[in-house]
Amino acid sequence: MSTTEKELGWIERLADEFEEAQPEKIIEEALKRVPNITFACSFGAEDMVLLDMLMNIDKEANVFYLDTNVLFQETYDLRDRAVEKYGIPNLRQVLPAITLEQQAEQYGEALWGRDPNQCCNIRKVQPLTNVLQEYDGWITGIRREQAPTRANAKVFEWDGKFNLVKVNPLVRWTEGQVWRYIKQHDVPYNPLHDQNYPSIGCLHCTRPVKPGEDPRSGRWAGFNKTECGLHPSA
């Protein structure tokens, strides 16, 4: 998709028009305006809400997940439960270019414990970059209240890092709204959320969050890092 001033202006107008729209309406508009679009599903709480909405709107929609090979078993189990419930015929597994064994040979054992940025780049950012080259837009579950880096995210925006339209249907929602939807619509979710894991990433880089801590503090604990690099700072 072109990044001309006219194209970016269209996206900005769409962002203004749908700023207060319901997520379902945002998804419907995204599918209409950007037919070659995909949904990046992490199987987190927000993404399970979006998956439920998306499958109710278009069961043939494209969905993918980044399999780093070190996700929690609970995440893999949730993936299977989601497939059983929704079908998701166009669900795609996206893997890193190298295996964990190859990574250890090239960079040393437990790279995540020494250089999590490099590990995230190999196992998340590079695979995401490759898969998004096939699309004109992607749908994500980011919300403004999740982190300061996401505070200025818009419903529709141009993603300059990956050069496509980025759609954030839940950007205005609170955590309470996410969980009310999950309960009201009987949406399957990761049981780790009930064990003080508000944000769930890879096995070695995610810990439970203590009362009063920032919800993102359980990711990459001990490092000055709260984002894996998929979502540039807003």
Side-chain angles (χ1 to χ4, degrees):
M1 184 171 288
S2 171
T3 58
T4 63
E5 183 176 347
K6 180 179 179 181
E7 189 65 58
L8 294 178
W10 169 78
I11 296 168
E12 291 171 358
R13 290 192 296 274
L14 208 58
D16 291 338
E17 180 181 351
F18 284 84
E19 166 65 17
E20 297 185 4
Q22 293 299 316
E24 293 91 340
K25 293 297 183 182
I26 296 168
I27 294 171
E28 289 174 356
E29 188 69 14
L31 294 174
K32 181 174 70 174
R33 296 293 188 109
V34 192
N36 186 28
I37 196 169
T38 187
F39 169 41
C41 184
S42 69
F43 300 106
E46 289 83 4
D47 285 357
M48 292 307 299
V49 168
L50 288 177
L51 183 63
D52 185 84
M53 293 177 176
L54 182 61
M55 290 296 100
N56 285 329
I57 294 169
D58 181 3
K59 289 188 178 297
E60 300 297 321
N62 289 304
V63 181
F64 75 89
Y65 68 100
L66 298 175
D67 188 348
T68 62
N69 302 123
V70 281
L71 300 179
F72 283 84
Q73 184 58 49
E74 288 87 346
T75 302
Y76 291 115
D77 293 343
L78 177 58
R79 173 202 58 193
D80 295 342
R81 289 164 55 206
V83 170
E84 182 179 355
K85 180 177 178 67
Y86 301 111
I88 328 179
N90 291 315
L91 177 64
R92 179 178 178 183
Q93 177 194 44
V94 176
L95 292 163
I98 60 176
T99 65
L100 288 171
E101 291 74 20
Q102 291 170 328
Q103 179 172 298
E105 291 175 2
Q106 295 179 39
Y107 301 95
E109 294 288 344
L111 179 61
W112 48 81
R114 293 177 286 102
D115 191 345
N117 285 326
Q118 188 173 39
C119 190
C120 282
N121 186 60
I122 294 169
R123 312 210 72 76
K124 287 187 175 183
V125 180
Q126 290 180 8
L128 179 68
T129 301
N130 292 336
V131 71
L132 289 184
Q133 290 176 354
E134 302 175 20
Y135 296 96
D136 295 327
W138 67 313
I139 299 169
T140 88
I142 66 172
R143 297 184 294 107
R144 289 173 185 153
E145 73 166 18
Q146 287 173 324
T149 53
R150 302 178 178 185
N152 296 319
K154 297 181 179 179
V155 173
F156 286 90
E157 56 190 6
W158 178 254
D159 190 330
K161 181 170 185 174
F162 299 113
N163 293 313
L164 75 173
V165 179
K166 186 176 184 179
V167 185
N168 309 308
L170 299 182
V171 74
R172 295 177 59 247
W173 272 30
T174 64
E175 182 181 8
Q177 286 176 289
V178 170
W179 285 102
R180 279 195 295 274
Y181 185 97
I182 287 173
K183 299 299 184 183
Q184 291 172 0
H185 296 268
D186 195 26
V187 176
Y189 66 90
N190 197 316
L192 290 175
H193 288 308
D194 294 331
Q195 301 173 37
N196 300 318
Y197 286 84
S199 177
I200 303 168
C202 294
L203 179 64
H204 304 291
C205 297
T206 310
R207 66 162 177 82
V209 171
K210 298 176 183 178
E213 284 187 317
D214 185 281
R216 298 285 297 180
S217 65
R219 305 290 297 276
W220 307 284
F223 292 92
N224 184 24
K225 177 178 173 66
T226 59
E227 296 281 0
C228 55
L230 305 187
H231 303 289
S233 299

